[in-house]
Amino acid sequence: MRHFLSENDLTADEFRAIIQRGSELRKQWESHSCEVTLPQRVLGMIFEKSSTRTRVSFEAGMTQLGGHAIYLSPDNTQLGRGEPQADTARVLSQMVDAISVRTFSHESLERFSENATVPVINALTDLLHPCQLLADMQTYLDHRGDISGKRVAWIGDGNNMCNSYLNTARLLGFHLCFACPDGYEPDAQILANAGNHASRAATPAEACTGADLIVTDVWASMGQEEEQKARLVAFEGYEINTEMMALANEDALFMHCLPAHRGEEVSAEVIDGSQSVVWEEAGNRLHAQKALLEFLLLHAQ
């Protein structure tokens, strides 16, 4: 039994096999010929933060694979009345085949997984967002092939997405050049672990120069709304616009995990432009996570 709490829970070969399977599942979905590989399997989904893409992709994915998903939030379960997460993990493990958890603290997710006897999936914590990286890497694979040896620019907050890109750079062998304002750097230990697969640029323009993929995220993530005004000042000059994209390689792609704020971290011309693959990237959450569920429930030892 395996959990997926971090990109580091997979080998490079396993990561690549999952995103390749995700591409196969997307083609099946597009031709209305989805394989039923998880009949009667049930996914419990705990959400302590709001969600659109993650909830819909997991629910739709389980339905397409022949199984079912149950949405659980603190407002309508005993979690909201103080039941220890360890007890919830033990109880749900008696009833469902896997559990996805979207929560704040990564340490809390790790404690939950230690008490679960079915696979636990990180559906986002403040530290990491590994399911989004599966979708991003599947999208790059579909458009440009394997990302090994490529240069990726991360522009903006050194948040959970940036941390996940650092982990994935080391795992899949690409270089992540990030540009973040002082005080908004990624996790120091994750950056150290990335070694020579990561470097910090002095400016967003420097990071974008020669990039094969440019990625950004909102400047104030969930739970940081009160910092919005201060962050607008700190991140001035960090917008991905046509001038930034022009510094990248001619066939560079643009990605954003969404939701996006046009006119802040990205201009409308870029996110709605020809180099943007954000809608396909969002759609691949569905297929990459179906491939992940198959891996955890049918293949992982």
Side-chain angles (χ1 to χ4, degrees):
M1 192 269 294
R2 301 264 297 272
H3 300 307
F4 182 60
L5 309 186
S6 160
E7 299 80 9
N8 298 327
D9 289 330
L10 300 175
T11 67
D13 287 345
E14 288 171 341
F15 195 110
R16 287 191 167 94
I18 289 170
I19 62 175
Q20 287 167 1
R21 175 62 175 161
S23 294
E24 294 174 5
L25 291 169
R26 183 177 185 108
K27 292 175 183 173
Q28 291 181 12
W29 176 76
E30 289 173 341
S31 62
H32 306 288
S33 59
C34 295
E35 287 181 76
V36 177
T37 56
L38 297 178
Q40 301 184 35
R41 300 296 186 102
V42 177
L43 173 69
M45 306 186 301
I46 297 174
F47 283 91
E48 295 183 338
K49 290 184 172 184
S50 59
S51 171
T52 301
R53 280 154 288 277
T54 302
R55 177 180 175 180
V56 174
S57 56
F58 270 123
E59 264 192 65
M62 283 302 292
T63 299
Q64 290 171 15
L65 294 173
H68 183 69
I70 301 173
Y71 174 79
L72 303 162
S73 78
D75 293 336
N76 58 21
T77 67
Q78 297 298 336
L79 279 170
R81 300 182 65 215
E83 182 175 53
Q85 286 198 345
D87 290 356
T88 301
R90 295 185 184 104
V91 169
L92 291 183
S93 295
Q94 300 292 316
M95 301 176 181
V96 303
D97 298 279
I99 306 168
S100 65
V101 181
R102 168 167 286 198
T103 187
F104 295 88
S105 161
H106 195 80
E107 290 74 18
S108 173
L109 175 68
E110 290 176 334
R111 287 195 297 274
F112 184 95
S113 69
E114 289 167 0
N115 290 280
T117 54
V118 298
V120 174
I121 298 169
N122 179 355
L124 181 145
T125 66
D126 289 345
L127 184 68
L128 296 171
H129 196 4
C131 285
Q132 184 66 52
L133 263 292
L134 289 174
D136 286 19
M137 294 300 101
Q138 180 188 327
T139 305
Y140 192 89
L141 176 71
D142 291 345
H143 281 269
R144 298 287 185 264
D146 196 284
I147 200 168
S148 175
K150 301 296 185 181
R151 177 183 171 91
V152 178
W154 174 270
I155 310 299
D157 193 13
N159 60 9
N160 50 4
M161 278 295 298
C162 183
N163 291 332
S164 279
Y165 260 94
L166 287 167
N167 279 340
T168 309
R170 182 171 61 88
L171 188 66
L172 299 188
F174 63 84
H175 187 85
L176 184 75
C177 186
F178 63 93
C180 305
D182 290 339
Y184 298 93
E185 297 88 352
D187 181 88
Q189 187 57 58
I190 292 175
L191 176 59
N193 292 343
N196 59 9
H197 289 287
S199 61
R200 183 176 185 180
T203 64
E206 179 184 325
C208 290
T209 300
D212 299 291
L213 169 64
I214 296 179
V215 192
T216 190
D217 193 3
V218 292
W219 293 340
S221 298
M222 285 182 285
Q224 298 171 335
E225 290 79 5
E226 292 183 357
E227 303 175 27
Q228 180 74 18
K229 288 185 179 178
R231 284 173 174 260
L232 285 174
V233 175
F235 286 87
E236 186 176 357
Y238 281 75
E239 181 192 59
I240 306 302
N241 49 36
T242 53
E243 288 77 19
M244 291 285 185
M245 290 300 298
L247 297 171
N249 289 333
E250 190 174 348
D251 65 345
L253 300 175
F254 172 77
M255 293 189 193
H256 190 306
C257 61
L258 304 176
H261 294 168
R262 290 170 173 78
E264 290 186 14
E265 76 273 7
V266 61
S267 70
E269 291 79 7
V270 169
I271 195 170
D272 298 320
S274 61
Q275 291 174 278
S276 172
V277 290
V278 299
W279 314 120
E280 186 176 338
E281 175 192 4
N284 280 337
R285 292 292 303 276
L286 170 65
H287 309 294
Q289 288 164 196
K290 285 189 295 185
L292 173 66
L293 286 162
E294 286 186 345
F295 171 78
L296 292 174
L297 294 177
L298 300 179
H299 307 302
Q301 300 297 316

